[in-house]
Amino acid sequence: MGYYKILGFKKEPFSTSPDPDFFYLSKEHETALINILIELRLRRGLSVVLGDVGTGKTTLSRKLIQELKSRQDFIFNVILDPSFENDKTFLIFLARSFSIDIGEFESCSISYLKEALEKYLFKKTIKEDKTVVLIIDEAQKLSYSSLELLRVFLNYETNEFKLFQLVLLGQFELYSKIINIPNFFDRVSFKYILHPLDLKETKKMIEFRIKQAGFEKDSPLFLDEAIREIYEYSMGYPRQITMLCHKALKSLILKKKSVVDKQIIRDIIEEENKWAERKLFLLKPVSRLE
C-alpha cells in the first residue's frame, strides 16, 4: 500500500511526474496556456516560453497536449529531447513523427525531406483544414542548425496564416540562441517568461494537489506555518515544493502525526542541507602529496 492511501488519498498527491491532472494553473501558467492556444487557433506560427529549471515548463507542455487532444482539427507531435546528430536525423524524425511516407530514408537527401514536409503541411492545412503543431520541450538543447531548419518551416504560409505551428519551451539559454539567429526572433508571435510562485500561490498549489488526490478531510493537512517554511526554502519553484511536500507526508507516517507543521519541514530541510554539505565534501578536490 502506498503512503498516500494510509493518509486517506486515492492517488499520490506529490508525484514529480508531469501529470496534467495535477498541474496547478498559477496566473502565469494560465496566461501562458491561454495565449498559446489562441496563437495556435489563429495559426500565427511561433510561441516561446522561457523559465528556469523547475518552474513547470514540462507540465505546462503536458497540459497543452491534453487540451489539443480534445480538438479534432489539430495534428500535433511532441519532442522531449531535441538533441539530434545532424539535420538529416532531425528531418527524418519529424517525417516519422507526422507519419510522412519517405520511403528508404537512408537514401533521402535533405532537400527531398524538406520538400516532403512542405507538401505535408500544404496538404494538411490547406486541403484538409487542419492545424499542424510541433511542441518542443527542453528547446535550449536545439542546435543552431536545427533552429535554422525550423525557421525555414515557419516561412511556409498563405496570405492569412502560417502552415507550421511551433511551440518552444526551454531554459533561458534558448533566448541567447534565438536572439542571434537572423529572422528567427522576429518570427516569435508570443513570448513569455515563467517565474516561481509567490507564497499565496504556493499554498493554493499544495491545496489543489491534495484535493486532486482525493483527500476529503475538512481539517488542513499542511499548517500555514509549514507552507511558509516550504515557500521560503523552495523559493516558489513548483518542483521543489512538490518534493518537499512528498517528504513531509512520508514524515507524517513515520512520526505518527496527523498534520504537517513547521518542525516537520525544518527537519526535512536540515537533512537536505546535510546531504548538500556531504555532496560538496565529496566533490572537493583532494590535494596529493608529491
Side-chain angles (χ1 to χ4, degrees):
M1 178 183 291
Y3 78 86
Y4 54 91
K5 291 185 178 179
I6 296 173
L7 294 171
F9 293 102
K10 295 177 182 177
K11 296 180 179 179
E12 185 178 357
F14 296 109
S15 169
T16 53
S17 299
D19 185 342
D21 290 333
F22 280 82
F23 180 45
Y24 169 66
L25 273 176
S26 70
K27 290 180 180 178
E28 288 197 357
H29 290 103
E30 186 174 23
T31 298
L33 180 62
I34 291 173
N35 274 278
I36 292 171
L37 288 170
I38 291 172
E39 296 294 311
L40 295 179
R41 177 60 68 188
L42 296 176
R43 300 178 183 178
R44 293 183 60 86
L46 176 58
S47 297
V48 175
V49 176
L50 301 173
D52 204 354
V53 175
T55 49
K57 298 184 299 300
T58 297
T59 315
L60 176 63
S61 71
R62 300 300 195 280
K63 191 68 176 179
L64 175 60
I65 292 165
Q66 189 182 59
E67 290 286 335
L68 295 181
K69 281 181 177 179
S70 64
R71 306 176 189 218
Q72 300 299 317
D73 55 341
F74 279 86
I75 300 170
F76 65 92
N77 273 292
V78 184
I79 300 178
L80 301 179
D81 183 5
S83 302
F84 298 96
E85 293 180 13
N86 50 52
D87 289 353
K88 186 173 181 178
T89 304
F90 185 30
L91 290 169
I92 290 170
F93 181 89
L94 288 178
R96 285 177 165 175
S97 297
F98 287 105
S99 301
I100 301 171
D101 184 10
I102 54 174
E104 295 295 326
F105 64 84
E106 292 91 348
S107 59
C108 291
S109 66
I110 288 178
S111 59
Y112 174 83
L113 291 166
K114 284 182 181 178
E115 185 178 351
L117 283 160
E118 183 179 2
K119 288 179 178 178
Y120 173 84
L121 291 172
F122 271 94
K123 178 185 177 184
K124 292 300 178 182
T125 57
I126 296 176
K127 293 183 179 181
E128 299 180 19
D129 196 27
K130 302 285 188 180
T131 300
V132 180
V133 183
L134 180 64
I135 303 166
I136 302 181
D137 196 12
E138 299 292 339
Q140 75 278 356
K141 295 181 180 180
L142 284 163
S143 66
Y144 284 102
S145 182
S146 293
L147 284 166
E148 177 59 27
L149 280 175
L150 293 171
R151 185 192 67 80
V152 171
F153 296 144
L154 289 168
N155 285 340
Y156 302 152
E157 58 188 348
T158 67
N159 291 333
E160 299 175 350
F161 55 81
K162 299 282 188 181
L163 304 185
F164 180 63
Q165 311 307 312
L166 178 62
V167 181
L168 301 181
L169 302 101
Q171 297 173 30
F172 291 109
E173 299 96 298
L174 174 62
Y175 177 82
S176 63
K177 282 187 173 182
I178 62 178
I179 197 69
N180 290 314
I181 300 177
N183 301 321
F184 191 98
F185 189 75
D186 59 1
R187 281 172 168 73
V188 180
S189 179
F190 170 68
K191 51 184 176 293
Y192 200 77
I193 295 176
L194 292 175
H195 297 94
L197 307 180
D198 59 22
L199 175 59
K200 184 178 179 180
E201 289 194 320
T202 297
K203 181 178 180 179
K204 285 183 177 180
M205 173 189 164
I206 293 170
E207 291 174 344
F208 169 79
R209 296 190 70 138
I210 288 173
K211 184 178 180 181
Q212 284 294 100
F215 190 77
E216 296 178 348
K217 294 180 182 178
D218 294 330
S219 57
L221 189 59
F222 284 76
L223 297 180
D224 286 345
E225 63 184 34
I227 292 173
R228 179 171 289 278
E229 292 288 335
I230 291 169
Y231 168 72
E232 291 179 355
Y233 182 77
S234 68
M235 296 185 292
Y237 283 85
R239 187 182 301 169
Q240 286 292 326
I241 294 169
T242 301
M243 292 175 69
L244 273 176
C245 289
H246 167 69
K247 292 177 180 178
L249 293 187
K250 289 198 301 180
S251 184
L252 274 186
I253 296 172
L254 294 172
K255 296 182 178 181
K256 297 181 180 180
K257 291 188 174 183
S258 59
V259 65
V260 178
D261 56 24
K262 65 180 179 182
Q263 191 56 53
I264 285 177
I265 302 302
R266 285 180 176 177
D267 290 345
I268 293 169
I269 291 171
E270 183 180 354
E271 188 61 28
E272 290 290 306
N273 290 335
K274 286 180 180 178
W275 277 105
E277 290 173 3
R278 292 189 189 106
K279 182 179 179 181
L280 287 173
F281 176 78
L282 292 171
L283 292 174
K284 185 179 179 181
V286 180
S287 60
R288 299 173 63 182
L289 295 175
E290 298 296 338

